Amino acid sequence: MDDTERAILESTYRALCEHGYADLTMQRIADESELSKAGLHYHYDSKERLFEAFLEYLYEQYCDRLDGASGETARERLDTLLTMELADPEADPGIDFQTAMLEVRAQAPYDETIQERLRAFDDALVSRLREVIADGVDAGEFDDRVDPELAADLLTTAISGAHTRQVAAGHPIDRSYEAARTYVDAYLVDESASEVTA
């Protein structure tokens, strides 16, 4: 990706936060950039193509963040993921962006391209959570009765729902973080392993 394309995608981000998805236009994206509307069309022939590239750009950044989840143990890596998703102020894109993305999600049932792109985000999170939980089961940190696939699905649903609930109902995201942590401690952690490490 060259500097101009990156600048266009960053302008798309600003315009999306400012106007929301429903009112996002090529002109409004151009207004956030140093290019004219015609200049945008030179790189992307339609708003749909530009937005598809924007979602891909976000996806690459998201995967980089997931890959950066660190910790010496699986439990620490899982907590890092939960913190990144629900409790990290530096990773929080802000309520304007979250609101705009809720609009985007509402379009997914009617737009196959958007649905496919959003599914990729979902799959990436499920995959990373499943991997970490499976590592924890193998290491004896998590109860061996835990199904990593089901636990990853549940946590992904909780994370997705937490963001929707924050935007739609004003529910504090930190409460959702505490709920997710409580689930991990109550249902995933092997009590005998906890006693050994306590």
Side-chain angles (χ1 to χ4, degrees):
M1 176 185 303
D2 62 29
D3 290 344
T4 300
E5 289 174 320
R6 189 179 304 278
I8 291 171
L9 298 178
E10 289 173 355
S11 298
T12 303
Y13 176 89
R14 292 192 295 273
L16 184 65
C17 290
E18 177 73 20
H19 302 287
Y21 180 73
D23 294 323
L24 185 68
T25 64
M26 293 293 269
Q27 184 59 60
R28 284 176 166 160
I29 295 169
D31 291 343
E32 295 288 340
S33 75
E34 297 179 357
L35 295 173
S36 65
K37 183 179 173 182
L40 288 185
H41 278 289
Y42 174 80
H43 294 275
Y44 301 97
D45 60 9
S46 67
K47 183 185 86 169
E48 290 72 26
R49 294 284 188 190
L50 171 52
F51 199 73
E52 185 177 343
F54 174 69
L55 290 178
E56 183 64 28
Y57 176 62
L58 291 183
Y59 175 74
E60 290 171 5
Q61 292 182 321
Y62 185 64
C63 288
D64 287 345
R65 282 183 53 232
L66 292 180
D67 290 343
S70 60
E72 293 184 8
T73 66
R75 188 174 181 184
E76 289 174 356
R77 291 194 299 277
L78 180 57
D79 188 56
T80 299
L81 286 168
L82 294 177
T83 300
M84 284 168 47
E85 290 293 323
L86 298 171
D88 184 357
E90 292 184 11
D92 184 358
I95 197 67
D96 291 338
F97 180 73
Q98 293 283 11
T99 301
M101 288 307 294
L102 187 58
E103 288 184 78
V104 174
R105 290 186 190 98
Q107 294 303 310
Y110 314 104
D111 187 314
E112 189 175 326
T113 299
I114 288 177
Q115 187 174 69
E116 182 180 314
R117 291 288 183 261
L118 294 183
R119 186 183 301 120
F121 284 86
D122 193 80
D123 290 346
L125 180 57
V126 169
S127 177
R128 189 72 177 105
L129 287 169
R130 182 178 59 238
E131 175 187 311
V132 170
I133 294 168
D135 286 348
V137 171
D138 290 344
E141 296 174 55
F142 298 147
D143 194 305
D144 61 10
R145 295 169 295 179
V146 169
D147 181 330
E149 184 80 41
L150 288 177
D153 277 345
L154 179 61
L155 285 171
T156 299
T157 300
I159 289 165
S160 178
H163 290 293
T164 298
R165 195 176 180 199
Q166 180 190 28
V167 172
H171 185 74
I173 198 78
D174 59 325
R175 290 282 296 160
S176 298
Y177 171 69
E178 289 302 321
R181 287 288 309 277
T182 298
Y183 165 76
V184 169
D185 291 342
Y187 296 101
L188 298 190
V189 174
D190 187 314
E191 291 183 7
S192 61
S194 297
E195 290 169 5
V196 170
T197 58

